[in-house]
Amino acid sequence: LEKTYRDVAEQVGVQLASTDNPEKAFMASQSGVMLGVEYDTKAWTWGIPEDKLVRLLHQIRAVAQENHVRQDELWSLAGRILHYAPLVATGKFNINEIIKASNVSTDGRYPVEVTAELKRQLWFWHTMTQVCSNATQIPTPEDRLPPWTRECYSDAAGGSLEGLGRGCGAVSEDWWCWVPWGKRINCGMLAADGKKLGRKLSALELVGPLLCITAGRLWCTGRPVRVWVDNFGSVQIWKKGYSTQCELCTTIVKAIGTVAAAIGCRFSVQKIRRCSGAGATMADALSKKDMCRFRMTAATAGWPLQPEPARVPATVLHWLEKPVVDYDLGSRIVEELRRSGPVLELPQ
């Protein structure tokens, strides 16, 4: 293959790099550095070359120890971190403040404030790039879940005072839960960005997956879980790990990622058409507190549901009473879950 490739390149006039410098080009091999990433296809791991890692760590420390840095310095650092983000399993949940800081100004000399949240994320990368380099498995591009994945369904209704019981529901074949929206969501109180809480549909829909991983913790621990929602925006925010438009969405997906890591759950959120099956129909009924339709659909589908809903952690309920940007929400949920069963320790 390589010989044919070189022959064709020579015939069409494409000049290939010399193999004298292995970091630029090398012969067929099971290990090597490509685009600043060190691959080992025998161990199926990847990492950051030591010289590049040292430079990255120095750059992170230099920025994290300042109160203000030039915009062009943040452009450079953000580019490097985003390049290596796929090497860290939970990296997508820890880049939103870095991206925000790199978009403050178009003037490279502009002094950008290094906020506490930005410093927190920088120290995360300072730690995790060292821990994960050459120790993490190369993920499959499709990120497919196995056939034994537990399927869950969730749905959320918009906040309103017109109908009692509007809220969010989540259901799987043997458990279910439901939470009503509180006064702040139903009355249309404003979030920090000036938008009504009851109309933040992507954030409200993401509450469903949060219920699945918390109220359904006993069914999710140590297992792959896929949650089906009918909001495309929520799915895309989960895949990115943050939202540049809604910090409440970022708060929720960070919390989901933290809890999933703590209970050893491989978690995914996928799009489904509204009421396109028994699970989606039951979730839609729960969001409107239509318990008659919920029970009838479950009986018709033959789902052996528990008679009572699963318990929603108090931390989640308290946050829903007053939804605010809180990047420690996931850690507090894990602390509550620890009182009822083992979870993995989280770094302080």
Side-chain angles (χ1 to χ4, degrees):
L1 176 63
E2 183 177 351
K3 183 180 183 302
T4 302
Y5 178 79
R6 290 184 175 279
D7 289 344
V8 171
E10 183 177 359
Q11 291 173 22
V12 299
V14 174
Q15 185 176 359
L16 300 177
S18 169
T19 57
D20 294 338
N21 183 358
E23 289 196 7
K24 299 298 182 183
F26 50 86
M27 304 288 284
S29 173
Q30 290 183 306
S31 63
V33 176
M34 292 183 291
L35 299 177
V37 178
E38 188 172 2
Y39 292 87
D40 186 335
T41 58
K42 199 169 184 178
W44 205 245
T45 59
W46 58 357
I48 309 174
E50 185 175 355
D51 59 329
K52 295 183 182 298
L53 177 59
V54 170
R55 287 199 295 271
L56 175 62
L57 296 177
H58 279 301
Q59 191 174 12
I60 291 175
R61 280 200 299 268
V63 173
Q65 292 171 353
E66 298 293 334
N67 293 323
H68 290 83
V69 295
R70 286 169 53 116
Q71 182 70 84
D72 54 6
E73 292 182 41
L74 283 170
W75 290 337
S76 173
L77 179 56
R80 282 199 171 98
I81 290 178
L82 288 173
H83 181 66
Y84 291 120
L87 277 69
V88 179
T90 59
K92 68 179 185 178
F93 302 117
N94 292 276
I95 56 177
N96 62 299
E97 293 295 327
I98 296 171
I99 292 175
K100 185 194 300 184
S102 67
N103 287 289
V104 172
S105 173
T106 57
D107 182 359
R109 297 170 296 177
Y110 184 84
V112 179
E113 180 185 3
V114 183
T115 64
E117 282 298 332
L118 176 57
K119 290 183 179 183
R120 178 177 175 176
Q121 289 194 352
L122 290 175
W123 287 122
F124 168 88
W125 287 102
H126 188 273
T127 301
M128 295 305 293
T129 49
Q130 297 177 77
V131 172
C132 295
S133 185
N134 293 309
T136 53
Q137 295 288 301
I138 301 173
T140 57
E142 299 88 357
D143 194 25
R144 293 175 181 170
L145 293 176
W148 56 88
T149 296
R150 176 173 286 273
E151 308 289 350
C152 301
Y153 303 83
S154 72
D155 201 0
S160 173
L161 292 174
E162 295 179 358
L164 296 176
R166 283 176 173 265
C168 182
V171 61
S172 188
E173 285 197 8
D174 47 5
W175 72 272
W176 61 282
C177 72
W178 168 80
V179 293
W181 298 139
K183 179 179 178 181
R184 290 175 178 270
I185 294 177
N186 281 329
C187 290
M189 296 187 72
L190 302 182
D193 58 5
K195 297 180 180 178
K196 291 183 178 181
L197 289 171
R199 294 294 177 263
K200 284 183 162 291
L201 298 184
S202 291
L204 297 181
E205 288 284 0
L206 283 169
V207 173
L210 180 63
L211 294 179
C212 290
I213 200 72
T214 55
R217 173 262 184 95
L218 295 178
W219 295 270
C220 295
T221 299
R223 296 173 177 152
V225 174
R226 177 166 39 228
V227 182
W228 297 94
V229 302
D230 62 6
N231 184 286
F232 183 73
S234 300
V235 174
Q236 294 304 109
I237 291 169
W238 164 258
K239 287 182 177 179
K240 287 197 306 179
Y242 64 93
S243 170
T244 56
Q245 304 297 322
C246 177
E247 290 186 309
L248 286 180
C249 289
T250 303
T251 292
I252 298 171
V253 295
K254 279 177 176 286
I256 296 171
T258 300
V259 177
I263 66 175
C265 173
R266 189 176 170 194
F267 199 80
S268 176
V269 179
Q270 298 289 332
K271 174 73 169 65
I272 192 173
R273 277 193 307 114
R274 181 174 176 271
C275 297
S276 56
T281 301
M282 292 163 67
D284 179 76
L286 284 174
S287 71
K288 299 174 177 63
K289 204 184 179 183
D290 187 348
M291 301 309 294
C292 181
R293 179 160 63 106
F294 171 71
R295 299 260 181 214
M296 287 181 62
T297 306
T300 302
W303 285 27
L305 291 174
Q306 299 287 334
E308 297 295 328
R311 177 185 172 275
V312 180
T315 305
V316 176
L317 296 176
H318 291 160
W319 184 81
L320 287 174
E321 284 296 319
K322 187 179 179 181
V324 294
V325 178
D326 180 3
Y327 297 154
D328 288 320
L329 176 62
S331 299
R332 295 205 315 278
I333 294 173
V334 171
E335 286 301 320
E336 181 178 349
L337 295 180
R338 179 176 285 114
R339 303 186 199 116
S340 58
V343 296
L344 295 176
E345 290 289 338
L346 294 176
Q348 298 300 317

